[in-house]
Amino acid sequence: MKQVSKAIVLLFFTAFVNGQTLQDVLRYSTNNLSGTARYTAMGGAFGALGGDFGALENNPAAGSVFDNTQFSITTSSNRSTNDASYFGSNYQNKHRDRDFDQVGFVLVLKNSQQNPKADIDLPWSKLSFAFNYQKTANFNNFFMADGYNNRGVDQYFLNNAKGIALENLQLLDGENDSELYSYLGEDYGFNAQQAFLGFQSYLIDATEDTFSNTSYISSVNGGSAGYFHEYETSRDGGIKKYTFNFSGEYLNKYNVGISINRHKLEYRETSDFYESNYSDDSALNAFRFNNELFAFGEGISFQLGGIAKLNKEIRVGISYESPTWFSIIEETTQFVVSDGDDQGNTTIEPNVITSYPEYSFKTPSKYTGSFAYVFGKKGLVSVEYTQVNYEKAKFNEPNDAYLVDQNTQITNNLNSAGILRFGGEYRFGNYSIRAGYIKQDASLKNSDNSATSKSIGAGINFGGSSLDLSVVSSEMMLQQQLFSSGLTDNINLNRDQLGIRLSYILKL
């Protein structure tokens, strides 16, 4: 007998179906250009320079390059333009958001250059302790797409309905949608819930009207131009990184450092899918499918790095960033609405929050080498290369068949990718002008998701404080898959982003 549950409950599944995908892997493993205005204006090419809170993102040795104790705060404003392409149709959307990108404090302790009693130089000329908050990933975005497709969303529901007995999709006397949706999730899992939504909304029907029936057919066909689709997605959240850094300068020539990082992840996505243009012999006129996902978790990582001053002009840097070990929990809600001549408007809204068990995810590690040439007090140029082995990302859940399969998908579809950064700064008096460039290779084997960024900026040094401004223009290629099965076509996205950052630094 079916178990009656509350209208809003927490369900705990033993397997993830339609949860984690390659899009999630890349979303949680890719950092945005963020940090101080000086750092972003120079394209983040700071691995051999240091002396900036943003540089702690590249190389933990950066902490001991600071000349004195400092406090820094950065605010940002971002504007995104998304050009969405779906089967030849194009749609442009714009989105704006504002945030605090960075807040940091560094305590610098300097040793005397000579010990008068021993008459020897002290090897450690400087020690520093730093804390920095930085938003390393910004998920805020919105886009829409529409177009005609020869496949419909019925394929998604038919795919999930395979093997589900008809008796499990029919309401008992006195039973409501929430109770049956909850029961199916607890006893049969995600697939059965999707089958229930498709069957109760009249989008799919059983081939035989018997309790034991396990095969289904579609109740709709596309019109002469195909199925008309509208897809709308709204996202918000990000990854916040809290860095605790210890660094030292040895013999006034070598800087070494270590950072322990705590990461906080929050991600919310609401997608709304609408389908129409059915043929006259279809049971429905239109269909709407709404999904909401909320993911939150915490992670930890560490970094090791060093900077060497080979002479007055040349500096080199090397650093390693460990994987971030995340623990993540996800929650979802769904509802469907259908419109038919015989049935009228039908809404299946279970009002059930599905909470999945916590899972572990490991991002790829990073290796960075950098070079800088300093023209005295006039300025500098810097170049940096980071190698990210995206195929090393992994779900650490060996007993979960779905996540084990996702690890195979990671290996088959992701590769190693390089990030090349250039930056330069020219100083005249108390003023500085800066520029930078970033080229990020594609991390997908079979499609182009590469990205480029160009940046400019300026700063003014007041002596005891400074004010910096940067403008960053980024362009990236993205893809959004409609559903995990059945209707798996992609929306191609060309995203242009313009970010403006303002930093204030106080020297204590």
Side-chain angles (χ1 to χ4, degrees):
M1 187 175 180
K2 299 178 182 178
Q3 177 183 355
V4 178
S5 305
K6 294 181 180 180
I8 299 181
V9 297
L10 296 180
L11 307 180
F12 297 93
F13 297 165
T14 58
F16 294 85
V17 187
N18 193 40
Q20 301 71 31
T21 65
L22 289 178
Q23 295 177 22
D24 298 307
V25 171
L26 293 175
R27 181 180 299 116
Y28 301 153
S29 301
T30 304
N31 291 347
N32 303 131
L33 177 62
S34 62
T36 67
R38 184 183 180 217
Y39 173 83
T40 54
M42 292 177 56
F46 261 84
L49 294 171
D52 187 279
F53 287 98
L56 294 174
E57 174 72 12
N58 305 48
N59 193 334
S64 57
V65 182
F66 283 95
D67 287 329
N68 44 46
T69 299
Q70 292 185 16
F71 168 80
S72 172
I73 186 169
T74 302
T75 184
S76 67
S77 175
N78 298 290
R79 185 192 69 188
S80 298
T81 302
N82 292 293
D83 289 309
S85 174
Y86 182 68
F87 286 96
S89 297
N90 296 292
Y91 208 106
Q92 187 178 88
N93 310 271
K94 294 184 178 181
H95 175 77
R96 294 178 181 270
D97 67 85
R98 296 177 177 84
D99 207 345
F100 282 100
D101 259 17
Q102 176 273 330
V103 177
F105 175 81
V106 60
L107 174 65
V108 179
L109 304 176
K110 296 182 179 179
N111 285 335
S112 301
Q113 291 299 310
Q114 191 176 49
N115 184 335
K117 293 184 179 180
D119 197 29
I120 60 172
D121 290 336
L122 295 173
W124 291 99
S125 54
K126 196 191 306 180
L127 296 175
S128 73
F129 302 87
F131 168 79
N132 189 53
Y133 157 81
Q134 193 162 312
K135 193 169 185 179
T136 58
N138 185 348
F139 302 142
N140 296 346
N141 197 18
F142 172 83
F143 67 88
M144 295 178 61
D146 59 26
Y148 289 88
N149 191 340
N150 58 10
R151 293 194 297 175
V153 73
D154 56 329
Q155 298 304 309
Y156 168 78
F157 291 97
L158 288 172
N159 188 73
N160 281 283
K162 293 177 182 177
I164 306 296
L166 177 60
E167 65 174 333
N168 292 316
L169 307 182
Q170 296 175 319
L171 292 166
L172 297 177
D173 292 339
E175 188 177 37
N176 60 40
D177 295 336
S178 297
E179 292 167 344
L180 180 52
Y181 184 88
S182 299
Y183 162 77
L184 291 173
E186 292 170 335
D187 283 34
Y188 294 95
F190 180 85
N191 296 66
Q193 289 179 318
Q194 306 315 289
F196 164 74
L197 294 175
F199 178 77
Q200 289 294 332
S201 61
Y202 304 100
L203 184 69
I204 63 174
D205 199 3
T207 55
E208 296 181 6
D209 189 15
T210 60
F211 287 156
S212 59
N213 175 80
T214 58
S215 62
Y216 299 84
I217 58 174
S218 174
S219 299
V220 297
N221 292 299
S224 58
Y227 299 89
F228 178 73
H229 292 160
E230 290 183 352
Y231 189 88
E232 178 180 310
T233 293
S234 176
R235 296 169 178 159
D236 61 73
I239 298 178
K240 300 175 182 178
K241 182 178 180 180
Y242 302 85
T243 296
F244 301 87
N245 172 263
F246 173 69
S247 179
E249 185 177 71
Y250 186 74
L251 298 178
N252 292 305
K253 187 176 182 180
Y254 304 103
N255 299 82
V256 294
I258 182 172
S259 292
I260 304 297
N261 308 305
R262 177 177 173 266
H263 307 257
K264 185 176 181 181
L265 181 153
E266 290 186 2
Y267 177 67
R268 183 184 296 275
E269 176 179 300
T270 301
S271 62
D272 198 71
F273 176 86
Y274 176 81
E275 183 175 85
S276 62
N277 197 48
Y278 295 136
S279 62
D280 294 338
D281 60 349
S282 298
L284 300 179
N285 299 316
F287 181 82
R288 181 186 175 198
F289 186 23
N290 183 280
N291 286 270
E292 185 171 359
L293 165 68
F294 179 54
F296 54 95
E298 294 189 350
I300 190 169
S301 67
F302 68 90
Q303 293 168 272
L304 302 171
I307 298 174
K309 302 173 185 176
L310 302 186
N311 53 45
K312 291 183 178 181
E313 293 83 20
I314 298 176
R315 300 180 185 182
V316 295
I318 188 171
S319 63
Y320 165 77
E321 182 175 350
S322 75
T324 300
W325 292 275
F326 275 113
S327 294
I328 302 174
I329 294 176
E330 294 186 348
E331 295 178 350
T332 62
T333 60
Q334 300 179 298
F335 70 83
V336 296
V337 180
S338 63
D339 174 42
D341 291 333
D342 297 333
Q343 300 83 17
N345 287 327
T346 301
T347 299
I348 309 298
E349 188 171 8
N351 289 320
V352 171
I353 301 173
T354 302
S355 181
Y356 298 92
E358 184 177 66
Y359 67 92
S360 299
F361 172 68
K362 181 185 74 172
T363 69
S365 57
K366 300 177 183 178
Y367 300 86
T368 300
S370 47
F371 172 88
Y373 191 93
V374 180
F375 300 92
K377 295 183 179 181
K378 288 294 184 180
L380 55 90
V381 292
S382 179
V383 60
E384 177 176 301
Y385 182 79
T386 299
Q387 184 74 16
V388 186
N389 301 319
Y390 288 98
E391 74 273 17
K392 299 297 184 181
K394 184 179 180 181
F395 293 99
N396 297 316
E397 299 293 342
N399 297 321
D400 191 304
Y402 175 77
L403 292 183
V404 171
D405 178 68
Q406 288 304 301
N407 287 334
T408 302
Q409 295 297 318
I410 291 171
T411 303
N412 293 339
N413 292 280
L414 300 183
N415 56 24
S416 297
I419 304 172
L420 185 62
R421 304 172 186 262
F422 294 96
E425 180 180 62
Y426 178 73
R427 308 185 190 109
F428 48 100
N430 293 333
Y431 301 93
S432 302
I433 56 174
R434 305 165 183 128
Y437 177 80
I438 303 175
K439 176 67 173 70
Q440 183 167 331
D441 296 335
S443 53
L444 290 168
K445 292 181 179 179
N446 301 316
S447 60
D448 184 8
N449 66 331
S450 60
T452 59
S453 297
K454 300 175 184 178
S455 55
I456 57 173
I460 180 170
N461 189 340
F462 301 103
S465 63
S466 61
L467 191 65
D468 298 303
L469 176 71
S470 72
V471 179
V472 181
S473 175
S474 303
E475 182 177 353
M476 62 200 74
M477 304 294 294
L478 304 169
Q479 287 187 327
Q480 172 68 35
Q481 183 173 307
L482 293 182
F483 297 100
S484 60
S485 64
L487 186 58
T488 57
D489 299 290
N490 288 320
I491 299 171
N492 295 313
L493 296 168
N494 188 339
R495 184 182 182 189
D496 293 323
Q497 186 172 41
L498 184 67
I500 300 174
R501 288 173 178 81
L502 184 67
S503 294
Y504 176 73
I505 298 172
L506 179 64
K507 302 173 185 178
L508 304 174

